[in-house]
Amino acid sequence: MTQIARYAQFKKIKIDSVKGSIKLNLKMIGSVLLETIDVTGSTVETHYDVKSAEDDETIVSILKLARKGCWARQMVANHTPFTDTLVLNGEAITI
């Protein structure tokens, strides 16, 4: 939601309030003890509640722009690879 307010401000679009919620649909299978744990996320559902006197098209445009500029959303959508390092008691360990 910070990008919605930020981009609206850049474009001089008046938004009175923005509220939102995110629902992650997650599934965990396997066992930590057996080291077979695996998790997946099937969907991410985002709900926006915007108060503004601006027309629908203007608000939809800002929302689309904010979605493109959301770091977290883009990392998930574009399968950003992870790089892990471990230093244990001062020594680099290969994971």
Side-chain angles (χ1 to χ4, degrees):
M1 268 88 45
T2 57
Q3 299 297 45
I4 296 170
R6 186 169 167 230
Y7 292 171
Q9 184 179 18
F10 286 164
K11 295 185 72 139
K12 309 280 192 260
I13 294 168
K14 176 81 166 106
I15 292 182
D16 299 315
S17 74
V18 178
K19 294 179 184 177
S21 62
I22 298 172
K23 178 182 176 187
L24 304 173
N25 295 303
L26 306 172
K27 180 171 119 178
M28 184 186 315
I29 58 173
S31 165
V32 171
L33 296 177
L34 296 175
E35 297 184 11
T36 59
I37 195 76
D38 194 21
V39 297
T40 61
S42 59
T43 59
V44 179
E45 299 173 28
T46 309
H47 172 77
Y48 305 97
D49 185 2
V50 178
K51 304 285 190 243
S52 176
E54 301 283 350
D55 62 80
D56 294 0
E57 193 174 293
T58 299
I59 299 304
V60 168
S61 173
I62 285 295
L63 178 63
K64 287 180 178 179
L65 187 61
R67 288 173 21 182
K68 286 189 211 174
C70 176
W71 296 102
R73 184 184 193 100
Q74 294 308 318
M75 288 177 66
V76 171
N78 295 312
H79 308 287
T80 303
F82 283 78
T83 302
D84 297 318
T85 60
L86 170 62
V87 175
L88 177 61
N89 300 324
E91 242 182 273
I93 304 289
T94 302
I95 302 175

